Structures are given as C-alpha cells and as structure tokens.
Coordinates of all heavy atoms in Angstrom, one line a residue:
M815 N 221.6 -115.1 -121.5 CA 221.5 -114.2 -122.6 C 221.5 -112.8 -122.0 O 220.7 -112.5 -121.1 CB 220.2 -114.5 -123.3 CG 219.9 -113.4 -124.4 SD 218.3 -113.6 -125.2 CE 218.5 -115.2 -125.8
T816 N 222.3 -112.0 -122.6 CA 222.4 -110.6 -122.1 C 221.1 -109.8 -122.5 O 220.6 -110.0 -123.6 CB 223.6 -109.8 -122.8 OG1 224.8 -110.4 -122.3 CG2 223.6 -108.3 -122.5
V817 N 220.6 -109.0 -121.6 CA 219.4 -108.2 -121.8 C 219.8 -106.7 -121.7 O 220.7 -106.4 -120.9 CB 218.2 -108.6 -120.9 CG1 217.7 -110.0 -121.2 CG2 218.5 -108.4 -119.5
V818 N 219.1 -105.9 -122.4 CA 219.3 -104.5 -122.4 C 218.0 -103.8 -121.9 O 217.0 -104.1 -122.4 CB 219.8 -103.9 -123.7 CG1 219.9 -102.4 -123.7 CG2 221.1 -104.6 -124.2
K819 N 218.2 -102.9 -120.9 CA 217.0 -102.2 -120.4 C 217.3 -100.7 -120.7 O 218.4 -100.2 -120.4 CB 216.9 -102.4 -118.9 CG 216.7 -103.8 -118.5 CD 215.5 -104.4 -119.0 CE 215.3 -105.9 -118.5 NZ 214.1 -106.5 -118.9
I820 N 216.3 -100.0 -121.3 CA 216.5 -98.6 -121.7 C 215.4 -97.8 -121.1 O 214.2 -98.1 -121.3 CB 216.5 -98.4 -123.2 CG1 217.6 -99.3 -123.9 CG2 216.6 -96.9 -123.6 CD1 217.5 -99.3 -125.4
N821 N 215.8 -96.8 -120.3 CA 214.8 -95.9 -119.6 C 214.9 -94.6 -120.2 O 216.0 -94.0 -120.4 CB 215.1 -95.9 -118.1 CG 213.9 -95.4 -117.3 OD1 212.9 -95.0 -117.9 ND2 214.1 -95.5 -116.0
Q822 N 213.8 -94.0 -120.7 CA 213.7 -92.7 -121.3 C 213.3 -91.7 -120.2 O 212.3 -91.9 -119.5 CB 212.6 -92.7 -122.4 CG 212.4 -91.4 -123.0 CD 211.4 -91.4 -124.1 OE1 211.3 -92.4 -124.8 NE2 210.7 -90.3 -124.3
L823 N 214.1 -90.6 -120.1 CA 213.9 -89.6 -119.0 C 213.7 -88.3 -119.6 O 214.5 -87.8 -120.4 CB 215.2 -89.6 -118.1 CG 215.7 -90.9 -117.5 CD1 217.0 -90.6 -116.7 CD2 214.6 -91.5 -116.6
S824 N 212.6 -87.7 -119.3 CA 212.3 -86.3 -119.7 C 213.0 -85.4 -118.6 O 212.7 -85.5 -117.4 CB 210.8 -86.0 -119.7 OG 210.2 -86.8 -120.7
V825 N 213.8 -84.5 -119.1 CA 214.6 -83.7 -118.2 C 214.4 -82.2 -118.6 O 214.6 -81.9 -119.8 CB 216.1 -84.0 -118.2 CG1 216.9 -83.1 -117.3 CG2 216.3 -85.5 -117.9
P826 N 214.0 -81.3 -117.7 CA 213.9 -79.9 -118.1 C 215.2 -79.4 -118.7 O 216.3 -79.8 -118.3 CB 213.6 -79.2 -116.8 CG 213.0 -80.3 -115.9 CD 213.7 -81.5 -116.3
A827 N 215.2 -78.6 -119.7 CA 216.4 -78.1 -120.5 C 217.5 -77.6 -119.5 O 218.6 -77.8 -119.8 CB 216.0 -77.1 -121.5
D828 N 217.1 -76.9 -118.5 CA 218.1 -76.3 -117.6 C 218.6 -77.3 -116.5 O 219.4 -76.9 -115.7 CB 217.5 -75.1 -116.9 CG 216.3 -75.3 -116.0 OD1 215.7 -76.4 -116.2 OD2 216.0 -74.5 -115.2
R829 N 218.2 -78.6 -116.5 CA 218.6 -79.5 -115.5 C 219.4 -80.7 -116.0 O 219.8 -81.6 -115.3 CB 217.3 -80.1 -114.8 CG 216.4 -79.1 -114.2 CD 217.0 -78.4 -113.0 NE 217.5 -79.2 -112.0 CZ 216.9 -79.6 -110.9 NH1 215.6 -79.3 -110.7 NH2 217.5 -80.3 -110.0
G830 N 219.8 -80.6 -117.3 CA 220.6 -81.7 -117.9 C 221.9 -81.9 -117.2 O 222.3 -83.0 -116.9
A831 N 222.6 -80.8 -116.9 CA 223.9 -80.9 -116.2 C 223.8 -81.5 -114.9 O 224.6 -82.2 -114.4 CB 224.6 -79.5 -116.2
D832 N 222.7 -81.2 -114.2 CA 222.4 -81.7 -112.8 C 222.2 -83.2 -112.9 O 222.8 -84.0 -112.1 CB 221.2 -81.1 -112.2 CG 221.3 -79.6 -111.9 OD1 222.5 -79.2 -111.7 OD2 220.3 -78.9 -111.8
L833 N 221.5 -83.7 -113.9 CA 221.3 -85.1 -114.1 C 222.6 -85.8 -114.4 O 222.9 -86.9 -113.8 CB 220.3 -85.4 -115.3 CG 220.1 -86.9 -115.6 CD1 219.1 -87.5 -114.5 CD2 219.5 -87.0 -117.0
E834 N 223.4 -85.3 -115.2 CA 224.7 -85.9 -115.6 C 225.6 -85.9 -114.4 O 226.3 -86.9 -114.1 CB 225.3 -85.1 -116.7 CG 224.6 -85.2 -118.0 CD 225.1 -84.4 -119.1 OE1 226.3 -84.0 -119.1 OE2 224.3 -84.1 -120.1
A835 N 225.6 -84.9 -113.5 CA 226.4 -84.9 -112.3 C 226.0 -86.0 -111.3 O 226.8 -86.6 -110.7 CB 226.3 -83.5 -111.7
K836 N 224.6 -86.2 -111.2 CA 224.1 -87.2 -110.3 C 224.6 -88.6 -110.8 O 225.0 -89.4 -110.0 CB 222.6 -87.1 -110.2 CG 222.1 -86.0 -109.3 CD 220.6 -86.1 -109.2 CE 220.2 -84.9 -108.3 NZ 218.8 -85.0 -108.0
F837 N 224.5 -88.8 -112.1 CA 224.9 -90.1 -112.6 C 226.4 -90.3 -112.5 O 226.9 -91.4 -112.2 CB 224.5 -90.3 -114.1 CG 223.2 -90.9 -114.3 CD1 222.0 -90.1 -114.3 CD2 223.0 -92.3 -114.4 CE1 220.8 -90.7 -114.4 CE2 221.8 -92.9 -114.5 CZ 220.6 -92.1 -114.5
A838 N 227.2 -89.3 -112.7 CA 228.6 -89.3 -112.5 C 229.0 -89.7 -111.1 O 229.9 -90.5 -110.8 CB 229.3 -88.0 -113.0
A839 N 228.3 -89.1 -110.1 CA 228.6 -89.3 -108.7 C 228.3 -90.7 -108.3 O 229.0 -91.2 -107.4 CB 227.8 -88.3 -107.9
R840 N 227.4 -91.4 -108.9 CA 227.0 -92.7 -108.5 C 227.3 -93.8 -109.5 O 226.7 -94.9 -109.4 CB 225.6 -92.8 -108.0 CG 224.6 -92.5 -109.1 CD 223.2 -92.6 -108.6 NE 222.3 -92.6 -109.8 CZ 221.1 -92.3 -109.8 NH1 220.5 -92.0 -108.7 NH2 220.4 -92.3 -110.9
R841 N 228.1 -93.5 -110.5 CA 228.3 -94.4 -111.7 C 228.8 -95.7 -111.3 O 228.6 -96.7 -112.0 CB 229.1 -93.7 -112.7 CG 230.6 -93.6 -112.4 CD 231.3 -92.9 -113.5 NE 232.7 -92.9 -113.2 CZ 233.6 -92.9 -114.1 NH1 233.3 -92.8 -115.4 NH2 234.9 -93.0 -113.8
K842 N 229.5 -95.9 -110.2 CA 230.1 -97.2 -109.8 C 229.2 -97.9 -108.8 O 229.5 -99.0 -108.4 CB 231.5 -97.0 -109.2 CG 232.5 -96.4 -110.2 CD 232.9 -97.4 -111.3 CE 233.9 -96.8 -112.2 NZ 234.3 -97.7 -113.2
S843 N 228.1 -97.3 -108.4 CA 227.3 -97.9 -107.3 C 226.6 -99.2 -107.7 O 226.3 -100.0 -106.8 CB 226.3 -96.8 -106.8 OG 225.3 -96.6 -107.9
V844 N 226.4 -99.4 -108.9 CA 225.7 -100.6 -109.4 C 226.6 -101.7 -109.9 O 226.2 -102.8 -110.1 CB 224.6 -100.3 -110.4 CG1 225.2 -99.9 -111.8 CG2 223.6 -101.4 -110.6
D845 N 227.9 -101.4 -110.0 CA 228.9 -102.3 -110.5 C 228.9 -103.6 -109.8 O 229.2 -104.7 -110.5 CB 230.3 -101.7 -110.5 CG 230.5 -100.6 -111.6 OD1 229.5 -100.4 -112.4 OD2 231.6 -100.0 -111.7
S846 N 228.7 -103.7 -108.6 CA 228.8 -104.9 -107.8 C 227.5 -105.7 -107.8 O 227.5 -106.8 -107.2 CB 229.3 -104.6 -106.4 OG 228.3 -103.8 -105.7
E847 N 226.5 -105.2 -108.4 CA 225.2 -106.0 -108.5 C 225.4 -107.2 -109.3 O 226.0 -107.2 -110.4 CB 224.1 -105.1 -109.1 CG 223.7 -104.0 -108.2 CD 223.1 -104.4 -106.9 OE1 222.3 -105.4 -106.9 OE2 223.3 -103.8 -105.9
P848 N 224.9 -108.4 -108.8 CA 225.0 -109.6 -109.6 C 224.3 -109.5 -111.0 O 223.2 -109.0 -111.1 CB 224.3 -110.6 -108.8 CG 224.3 -110.1 -107.4 CD 224.3 -108.6 -107.5
G849 N 225.0 -109.8 -112.0 CA 224.5 -109.8 -113.4 C 224.6 -108.5 -114.1 O 224.3 -108.4 -115.3
F850 N 225.1 -107.4 -113.4 CA 225.2 -106.2 -114.1 C 226.4 -106.2 -115.0 O 227.5 -106.6 -114.6 CB 225.4 -105.0 -113.0 CG 225.6 -103.7 -113.6 CD1 224.6 -103.0 -114.2 CD2 226.9 -103.1 -113.6 CE1 224.8 -101.7 -114.8 CE2 227.1 -101.9 -114.2 CZ 226.0 -101.2 -114.8
E851 N 226.2 -105.7 -116.2 CA 227.3 -105.7 -117.2 C 227.8 -104.3 -117.7 O 228.8 -104.2 -118.2 CB 226.9 -106.5 -118.4 CG 226.7 -108.0 -118.1 CD 226.2 -108.8 -119.3 OE1 226.0 -108.3 -120.4 OE2 226.1 -110.0 -119.1
G852 N 227.0 -103.3 -117.4 CA 227.4 -101.9 -117.8 C 226.2 -101.0 -118.1 O 225.1 -101.5 -118.2
F853 N 226.5 -99.7 -118.2 CA 225.5 -98.8 -118.5 C 226.1 -97.6 -119.2 O 227.3 -97.3 -119.1 CB 224.7 -98.3 -117.3 CG 225.2 -97.1 -116.6 CD1 224.7 -95.8 -116.9 CD2 226.2 -97.2 -115.6 CE1 225.1 -94.7 -116.3 CE2 226.7 -96.0 -115.0 CZ 226.1 -94.8 -115.3
E854 N 225.2 -96.8 -119.9 CA 225.5 -95.6 -120.6 C 224.4 -94.6 -120.3 O 223.2 -95.0 -120.3 CB 225.7 -95.8 -122.1 CG 226.9 -96.7 -122.4 CD 227.0 -96.9 -123.9 OE1 225.9 -97.4 -124.5 OE2 228.0 -96.6 -124.5
L855 N 224.8 -93.3 -120.2 CA 223.8 -92.3 -120.1 C 223.9 -91.5 -121.4 O 225.0 -91.1 -121.8 CB 224.1 -91.3 -119.0 CG 223.2 -90.1 -118.9 CD1 221.8 -90.5 -118.6 CD2 223.7 -89.1 -117.8
L856 N 222.8 -91.5 -122.2 CA 222.8 -90.8 -123.5 C 222.2 -89.5 -123.4 O 221.0 -89.3 -123.1 CB 222.1 -91.7 -124.5 CG 222.6 -93.2 -124.7 CD1 221.8 -93.9 -125.7 CD2 224.1 -93.2 -125.0
R857 N 223.0 -88.5 -123.8 CA 222.5 -87.1 -123.8 C 221.9 -86.8 -125.1 O 222.4 -87.2 -126.2 CB 223.7 -86.1 -123.6 CG 223.4 -84.7 -123.7 CD 224.6 -83.7 -123.7 NE 225.5 -84.0 -122.6 CZ 226.8 -84.2 -122.8 NH1 227.4 -84.2 -124.0 NH2 227.6 -84.4 -121.7
P858 N 220.8 -86.1 -125.1 CA 220.1 -85.8 -126.4 C 221.0 -84.8 -127.3 O 221.6 -83.9 -126.7 CB 218.8 -85.1 -126.0 CG 219.0 -84.7 -124.6 CD 220.0 -85.6 -124.0
A859 N 221.0 -85.1 -128.6 CA 221.8 -84.2 -129.5 C 221.0 -83.0 -129.9 O 221.6 -82.0 -130.3 CB 222.2 -85.0 -130.7
E860 N 219.7 -83.0 -129.7 CA 218.8 -81.9 -130.0 C 218.1 -81.5 -128.8 O 217.6 -82.3 -128.0 CB 217.9 -82.3 -131.1 CG 218.6 -82.7 -132.4 CD 217.6 -83.1 -133.5 OE1 216.4 -82.7 -133.4 OE2 218.0 -83.8 -134.4
E861 N 218.0 -80.2 -128.6 CA 217.2 -79.6 -127.5 C 215.8 -80.1 -127.4 O 215.2 -80.2 -128.5 CB 217.3 -78.1 -127.5 CG 216.8 -77.4 -126.2 CD 217.0 -75.9 -126.2 OE1 218.0 -75.5 -126.7 OE2 216.1 -75.3 -125.7
G862 N 215.3 -80.4 -126.2 CA 213.9 -80.8 -126.1 C 213.7 -82.3 -126.2 O 212.6 -82.8 -126.0
Q863 N 214.8 -83.1 -126.5 CA 214.7 -84.5 -126.6 C 215.0 -85.1 -125.3 O 215.7 -84.5 -124.5 CB 215.6 -85.0 -127.7 CG 215.3 -84.5 -129.1 CD 213.9 -85.0 -129.6 OE1 213.6 -86.2 -129.5 NE2 213.1 -84.1 -130.0
P864 N 214.6 -86.4 -125.0 CA 214.9 -87.0 -123.7 C 216.3 -87.6 -123.6 O 217.0 -87.8 -124.6 CB 213.8 -88.2 -123.7 CG 213.6 -88.5 -125.1 CD 213.7 -87.2 -125.9
Y865 N 216.7 -87.8 -122.4 CA 217.9 -88.6 -122.1 C 217.5 -90.1 -122.1 O 216.3 -90.4 -122.0 CB 218.4 -88.3 -120.7 CG 219.3 -87.1 -120.6 CD1 218.8 -85.8 -120.6 CD2 220.7 -87.2 -120.5 CE1 219.6 -84.7 -120.5 CE2 221.5 -86.1 -120.4 CZ 221.0 -84.9 -120.4 OH 221.8 -83.8 -120.3
F866 N 218.5 -91.0 -122.3 CA 218.2 -92.4 -122.2 C 219.3 -93.0 -121.3 O 220.5 -92.6 -121.4 CB 218.3 -93.1 -123.6 CG 217.1 -92.8 -124.5 CD1 217.1 -91.7 -125.4 CD2 216.0 -93.6 -124.4 CE1 216.0 -91.4 -126.2 CE2 214.9 -93.3 -125.2 CZ 214.9 -92.2 -126.1
V867 N 218.9 -93.9 -120.5 CA 219.8 -94.7 -119.7 C 219.7 -96.1 -120.2 O 218.7 -96.7 -120.2 CB 219.4 -94.7 -118.2 CG1 220.4 -95.5 -117.3 CG2 219.3 -93.2 -117.7
V868 N 220.9 -96.6 -120.7 CA 221.0 -97.9 -121.3 C 221.8 -98.8 -120.3 O 222.9 -98.5 -120.0 CB 221.6 -97.9 -122.6 CG1 221.8 -99.2 -123.3 CG2 220.9 -96.9 -123.6
T869 N 221.2 -99.9 -119.8 CA 221.9 -100.8 -119.0 C 221.9 -102.2 -119.6 O 221.0 -102.6 -120.3 CB 221.3 -100.9 -117.6 OG1 219.9 -101.3 -117.7 CG2 221.3 -99.6 -116.8
R870 N 223.0 -102.9 -119.3 CA 223.1 -104.3 -119.8 C 223.2 -105.2 -118.6 O 223.9 -105.0 -117.6 CB 224.4 -104.4 -120.6 CG 224.3 -103.6 -121.9 CD 225.6 -103.7 -122.7 NE 226.0 -105.0 -123.1 CZ 225.8 -105.5 -124.3 NH1 225.3 -104.8 -125.2 NH2 226.2 -106.8 -124.5
W871 N 222.4 -106.3 -118.7 CA 222.4 -107.3 -117.6 C 222.5 -108.7 -118.1 O 222.2 -109.0 -119.3 CB 221.0 -107.2 -116.9 CG 220.8 -105.9 -116.2 CD1 220.3 -104.7 -116.9 CD2 221.1 -105.5 -114.9 NE1 220.3 -103.7 -116.0 CE2 220.8 -104.1 -114.8 CE3 221.6 -106.2 -113.8 CZ2 221.0 -103.4 -113.6 CZ3 221.8 -105.5 -112.6 CH2 221.5 -104.1 -112.5
A872 N 223.0 -109.6 -117.3 CA 223.2 -111.0 -117.7 C 221.8 -111.7 -118.1 O 221.8 -112.5 -119.0 CB 223.9 -111.8 -116.6
D873 N 220.8 -111.2 -117.4 CA 219.4 -111.8 -117.6 C 218.4 -110.9 -116.9 O 218.7 -110.0 -116.2 CB 219.4 -113.2 -117.1 CG 219.9 -113.4 -115.7 OD1 219.5 -112.5 -114.8 OD2 220.6 -114.3 -115.4
D874 N 217.1 -111.2 -117.2 CA 216.0 -110.4 -116.6 C 216.0 -110.5 -115.1 O 215.7 -109.6 -114.4 CB 214.7 -110.8 -117.2 CG 214.4 -110.2 -118.6 OD1 214.7 -109.1 -118.8 OD2 213.9 -111.0 -119.5
A875 N 216.3 -111.7 -114.6 CA 216.3 -111.9 -113.1 C 217.3 -111.0 -112.4 O 216.9 -110.5 -111.3 CB 216.5 -113.4 -112.8
S876 N 218.4 -110.8 -113.0 CA 219.4 -109.9 -112.4 C 218.9 -108.5 -112.3 O 219.0 -107.8 -111.3 CB 220.7 -110.0 -113.2 OG 221.3 -111.2 -113.1
F877 N 218.3 -108.0 -113.4 CA 217.7 -106.7 -113.5 C 216.6 -106.6 -112.5 O 216.5 -105.6 -111.7 CB 217.2 -106.3 -114.9 CG 216.4 -105.0 -114.9 CD1 217.1 -103.8 -114.9 CD2 215.1 -105.0 -114.9 CE1 216.4 -102.6 -114.9 CE2 214.3 -103.9 -114.8 CZ 215.0 -102.6 -114.8
D878 N 215.7 -107.6 -112.4 CA 214.6 -107.5 -111.5 C 215.0 -107.5 -110.1 O 214.4 -106.7 -109.3 CB 213.6 -108.7 -111.8 CG 212.9 -108.6 -113.1 OD1 212.9 -107.6 -113.7 OD2 212.5 -109.7 -113.6
A879 N 216.0 -108.2 -109.7 CA 216.5 -108.2 -108.3 C 217.1 -106.8 -108.0 O 216.8 -106.3 -106.9 CB 217.6 -109.3 -108.2
W880 N 217.8 -106.2 -108.9 CA 218.3 -104.9 -108.6 C 217.2 -103.9 -108.5 O 217.2 -103.1 -107.6 CB 219.3 -104.5 -109.7 CG 219.7 -103.0 -109.6 CD1 220.6 -102.5 -108.8 CD2 219.2 -102.0 -110.4 NE1 220.6 -101.1 -109.0 CE2 219.8 -100.8 -110.0 CE3 218.2 -101.9 -111.5 CZ2 219.5 -99.5 -110.6 CZ3 218.0 -100.7 -112.0 CH2 218.6 -99.5 -111.6
A881 N 216.3 -103.9 -109.4 CA 215.1 -103.0 -109.5 C 214.3 -103.1 -108.2 O 213.8 -102.0 -107.7 CB 214.3 -103.2 -110.7
A882 N 214.2 -104.3 -107.6 CA 213.4 -104.4 -106.4 C 214.0 -103.7 -105.2 O 213.3 -103.4 -104.3 CB 213.2 -105.9 -106.1
K883 N 215.3 -103.5 -105.3 CA 216.0 -102.8 -104.2 C 216.2 -101.3 -104.3 O 216.6 -100.6 -103.4 CB 217.5 -103.4 -104.0 CG 217.5 -104.9 -103.7 CD 218.9 -105.3 -103.4 CE 219.8 -105.3 -104.6 NZ 221.1 -105.9 -104.4
R884 N 215.8 -100.8 -105.5 CA 216.0 -99.4 -105.8 C 215.1 -98.5 -104.9 O 214.0 -98.9 -104.6 CB 215.7 -99.0 -107.2 CG 216.8 -99.5 -108.1 CD 216.5 -99.2 -109.6 NE 215.9 -97.9 -109.8 CZ 215.2 -97.5 -110.8 NH1 214.9 -98.4 -111.8 NH2 214.7 -96.3 -110.9
Q885 N 215.6 -97.4 -104.5 CA 214.9 -96.4 -103.8 C 214.0 -95.5 -104.7 O 214.5 -95.2 -105.8 CB 215.8 -95.5 -103.0 CG 216.7 -96.2 -102.0 CD 215.9 -96.8 -100.9 OE1 214.9 -96.2 -100.4 NE2 216.3 -98.0 -100.5
P886 N 212.8 -95.2 -104.4 CA 212.0 -94.3 -105.2 C 212.7 -93.0 -105.4 O 213.4 -92.5 -104.5 CB 210.7 -94.2 -104.5 CG 210.8 -95.0 -103.3 CD 212.1 -95.6 -103.2
R887 N 212.4 -92.3 -106.5 CA 213.0 -91.0 -106.7 C 212.4 -90.0 -105.7 O 211.2 -90.0 -105.4 CB 212.7 -90.5 -108.2 CG 213.7 -90.9 -109.2 CD 213.5 -90.3 -110.5 NE 212.2 -90.8 -111.1 CZ 211.3 -90.0 -111.6 NH1 211.4 -88.7 -111.6 NH2 210.2 -90.6 -112.1
A888 N 213.3 -89.1 -105.2 CA 212.9 -88.1 -104.3 C 212.2 -86.9 -105.0 O 212.4 -86.7 -106.1 CB 214.1 -87.6 -103.5
E889 N 211.4 -86.2 -104.2 CA 210.8 -85.0 -104.7 C 211.9 -84.0 -105.1 O 213.0 -84.0 -104.5 CB 209.9 -84.3 -103.6 CG 208.6 -85.1 -103.4 CD 207.7 -85.1 -104.6 OE1 207.6 -84.1 -105.2 OE2 207.1 -86.2 -104.8
G890 N 211.7 -83.2 -106.1 CA 212.7 -82.2 -106.5 C 213.8 -82.8 -107.4 O 214.8 -82.2 -107.6
T891 N 213.5 -84.0 -107.9 CA 214.5 -84.7 -108.8 C 214.7 -83.9 -110.1 O 213.9 -83.1 -110.4 CB 214.1 -86.1 -109.1 OG1 215.0 -86.7 -109.9 CG2 212.8 -86.2 -109.8
T892 N 215.8 -84.2 -110.8 CA 216.1 -83.5 -112.0 C 215.2 -84.0 -113.1 O 215.1 -83.4 -114.2 CB 217.6 -83.6 -112.4 OG1 217.9 -85.0 -112.4 CG2 218.4 -82.9 -111.4
V893 N 214.7 -85.2 -113.0 CA 213.9 -85.8 -114.0 C 212.4 -85.4 -113.8 O 211.9 -85.6 -112.7 CB 214.0 -87.4 -113.9 CG1 213.1 -88.0 -114.9 CG2 215.4 -87.8 -114.1
S894 N 211.8 -84.9 -114.9 CA 210.4 -84.5 -114.7 C 209.5 -85.7 -114.9 O 208.4 -85.8 -114.4 CB 210.0 -83.4 -115.7 OG 210.2 -83.8 -117.0
K895 N 210.0 -86.7 -115.7 CA 209.1 -87.9 -116.0 C 210.0 -89.0 -116.5 O 210.7 -88.8 -117.5 CB 208.0 -87.5 -117.0 CG 207.0 -88.6 -117.2 CD 205.9 -88.0 -118.1 CE 204.9 -89.1 -118.4 NZ 203.9 -88.6 -119.3
A896 N 209.8 -90.2 -116.0 CA 210.4 -91.4 -116.5 C 209.4 -92.0 -117.5 O 208.3 -92.3 -117.0 CB 210.9 -92.4 -115.5
E897 N 209.7 -92.1 -118.7 CA 208.7 -92.5 -119.7 C 208.4 -93.9 -119.8 O 207.5 -94.3 -120.5 CB 209.2 -92.0 -121.1 CG 209.4 -90.5 -121.2 CD 208.1 -89.7 -121.1 OE1 207.0 -90.2 -121.4 OE2 208.2 -88.5 -120.6
G898 N 209.1 -94.7 -119.1 CA 208.9 -96.2 -119.2 C 210.2 -96.9 -119.6 O 211.2 -96.3 -120.0
L899 N 210.1 -98.2 -119.5 CA 211.3 -99.0 -119.6 C 211.1 -99.9 -120.9 O 210.1 -100.6 -121.1 CB 211.4 -99.9 -118.4 CG 212.6 -100.8 -118.4 CD1 213.9 -99.9 -118.2 CD2 212.5 -101.8 -117.2
L900 N 212.1 -99.8 -121.8 CA 212.2 -100.7 -122.9 C 213.1 -101.9 -122.6 O 214.1 -101.7 -122.0 CB 212.7 -99.9 -124.1 CG 211.9 -98.7 -124.6 CD1 212.7 -97.9 -125.7 CD2 210.5 -99.1 -125.1
S901 N 212.7 -103.1 -123.1 CA 213.6 -104.2 -122.8 C 213.9 -104.9 -124.1 O 213.0 -105.1 -125.0 CB 212.8 -105.2 -121.9 OG 212.5 -104.6 -120.7
F902 N 215.2 -105.4 -124.2 CA 215.6 -106.1 -125.4 C 216.5 -107.2 -125.0 O 217.1 -107.2 -124.0 CB 216.5 -105.1 -126.3 CG 215.7 -103.9 -126.8 CD1 215.7 -102.8 -126.0 CD2 215.0 -104.0 -128.0 CE1 215.0 -101.7 -126.5 CE2 214.3 -102.9 -128.4 CZ 214.3 -101.7 -127.7
E903 N 216.6 -108.3 -125.9 CA 217.5 -109.3 -125.7 C 218.6 -109.1 -126.8 O 218.3 -108.7 -127.9 CB 216.9 -110.7 -126.0 CG 215.9 -111.0 -124.9 CD 215.2 -112.4 -125.2 OE1 215.3 -112.9 -126.3 OE2 214.5 -112.8 -124.3
V904 N 219.9 -109.3 -126.4 CA 221.0 -109.2 -127.4 C 221.0 -110.4 -128.2 O 221.1 -111.5 -127.7 CB 222.3 -108.9 -126.6 CG1 223.4 -108.9 -127.6 CG2 222.2 -107.6 -125.8
V905 N 221.0 -110.3 -129.5 CA 221.0 -111.4 -130.5 C 222.5 -111.8 -130.6 O 223.3 -111.0 -131.0 CB 220.4 -111.0 -131.8 CG1 220.5 -112.1 -132.8 CG2 219.0 -110.5 -131.6
D906 N 222.7 -113.1 -130.5 CA 224.0 -113.7 -130.7 C 224.1 -114.0 -132.2 O 223.5 -115.0 -132.7 CB 224.2 -115.0 -129.9 CG 225.5 -115.7 -130.1 OD1 226.4 -115.1 -130.8 OD2 225.7 -116.7 -129.5
L907 N 224.8 -113.2 -132.9 CA 224.9 -113.4 -134.4 C 225.9 -114.5 -134.8 O 226.0 -114.8 -135.9 CB 225.3 -112.1 -135.0 CG 224.2 -111.0 -134.8 CD1 224.7 -109.6 -135.4 CD2 222.9 -111.4 -135.4
D908 N 226.7 -115.0 -133.8 CA 227.7 -116.0 -134.1 C 227.1 -117.4 -133.9 O 227.7 -118.4 -134.3 CB 228.9 -115.9 -133.1 CG 229.7 -114.6 -133.4 OD1 229.8 -114.3 -134.6 OD2 230.2 -114.0 -132.5
G909 N 226.0 -117.5 -133.4 CA 225.5 -118.9 -133.2 C 224.0 -118.9 -133.1 O 223.2 -119.6 -133.1

C-alpha cells in the first residue's frame, strides 16, 4: 500500500529560494531508493506560511530504511525548523 509522508518546514522569508535551489540540486538523489515513488516540494502561496515536502513510498518500511540513512541537517541550513512528519495511507478507491 502506498504511503505518503509530509514534512512541514519553517523557512525564513528570505531563504525560500535557497531551499528550492537545494531541493532542485538533489531532486534525483532519492530516486534509486527501494520503494520510493516520488516527491513534491510545495511552496507557500502566502507569505509566512511553511513549505511542505510530500513524498510517496511503497510502504512504511521503505521510508524507514531511507530515513535511517539520512544525514542530519547541517548548521546554517535554510530551514529554521522542521515541524514534524505527517503520515498517510493512500486509499484504493477501486477496491
């Protein structure tokens, strides 16, 4: 069953372009991870709102395996605060 993971990122108003550039530079880096199905970076439509990173995975185990390998964010990052991770299962409306 496909799962969706959504991470909310607080980004200072003057750092949005930097965040987008970092994601653009590494956008294919996760493509080869087992179970990875895709991601989107959502830019806020209103100033002062957070960015969202939406990823799709074949299952929770695939996401957990990838997350265990991730490097911690370095000091001076463009993100002031990661607000937490939301998790969802995609409902199969055909069956």
